[in-house]
Amino acid sequence: MNHFVRALAFAADKHKNQRRKDAQITPYINHPIDLVNVLVNEGGVVSWDVLCAALLHDVIEDTETSEEELLAHFGKKVTAIVKELTDDKSLAKDVRKRLQVEHAPFASHEAKLVKLADKICNLRDMLSNPPTGWDLKRKQEYFAWSAAVVLGIRGTHSKLEKVFDGLIEQGKQLQ
Ligand code: NDP
Ligand code: ZN
């Protein structure tokens, strides 16, 4: 609990100048909080390590945060999960996207849970608050890529996978 609140404050501070890509330029921190909401209230997930990692899942990738900093504040377990969820931004985008699909099956159970929640939240955003300037084709490609990542982590959490599948169905109605 203490770690969780510290992770919430840490993520809020690190993301404080960032916005999502939607028309309302929603504060970025809404996204990690959405993940926690999905994990707890739709998935019944109670692991503090998973919930802390969900709050922190984008800090190394998208903010000036080092692995050492996370280790010092949140310890080895949470840091390891966040690292598993961090894409290597020195790689080209298409390579990063391909590696997510290839690596997902080998992630830890904890990282797979966060990944599932991340994909659920991003598909919901894509349906109701999409990034500005994305045409139908680009959204459809994003749905297809998300489905490919989640295919590799089937068997992690049946309830959350059903939630995800419902969103894929809704994505087919996009026009
Ligand atoms: P990006 O990874 O750049 O953008 C999607 C990511 O942005 C999400 O994973 C999410 O990541 C974050 N995000 C921020 N705000 C939102 C929001 N409101 N809704 C949803 N996600 C949000 O995607 P790509 O540029 O890689 O595009 C996806 C697909 O589109 C690819 O398959 C690519 O091939 C294709 N593409 C098409 C182009 C075209 O013009 N047709 C051009 C470029 C790519 P997080 O969880 O980390 O916040
Ligand atoms: Zn995310």
Side-chain angles (χ1 to χ4, degrees), residues 15-80:
H15 290 300
K16 70 183 174 201
N17 295 319
Q18 290 176 326
R19 296 291 180 272
R20 299 289 284 168
K21 298 172 181 168
D22 58 298
Q24 296 91 338
I25 52 165
T26 304
Y28 198 90
I29 191 63
N30 286 35
H31 169 64
I33 293 173
D34 281 345
L35 263 69
V36 170
N37 194 19
V38 165
L39 286 165
V40 173
N41 291 310
E42 295 180 66
V45 173
V46 293
S47 157
W48 290 113
D49 286 339
V50 170
L51 301 178
C52 284
L55 286 174
L56 299 166
H57 79 279
D58 277 331
V59 295
I60 296 185
E61 194 175 304
D62 293 336
T63 78
E64 293 291 313
T65 302
S66 64
E67 184 181 338
E68 292 69 32
E69 208 177 346
L70 280 194
L71 265 177
H73 286 91
F74 303 105
K76 272 190 196 163
K77 185 77 196 279
V78 169
T79 304

Side-chain angles (χ1 to χ4, degrees), residues 20 31 35 38 57-58 61 85 87 96-97 100-101 104 111-127 142-151 153 160 163-165 167-168:
R20 299 289 284 168
H31 169 64
L35 263 69
V38 165
H57 79 279
D58 277 331
E61 194 175 304
L85 297 161
D87 286 351
R96 282 192 333 245
K97 296 265 165 192
Q100 270 210 40
V101 176
K112 285 177 179 170
L113 284 171
V114 179
K115 216 173 241 303
L116 202 43
D118 192 28
K119 297 295 177 263
I120 287 171
C121 291
N122 283 335
L123 291 194
R124 280 188 179 146
D125 283 348
M126 211 50 84
L127 289 166
Y142 189 84
F143 272 79
W145 170 74
S146 300
V149 174
V150 168
L151 186 62
I153 61 176
L160 290 178
V163 172
F164 178 85
D165 292 342
L167 293 165
I168 292 291

Side-chain angles (χ1 to χ4, degrees), residues 10 14 52 132 149 167 172:
F10 185 93
K14 291 291 187 175
C52 284
T132 49
V149 174
L167 293 165
K172 292 177 184 165

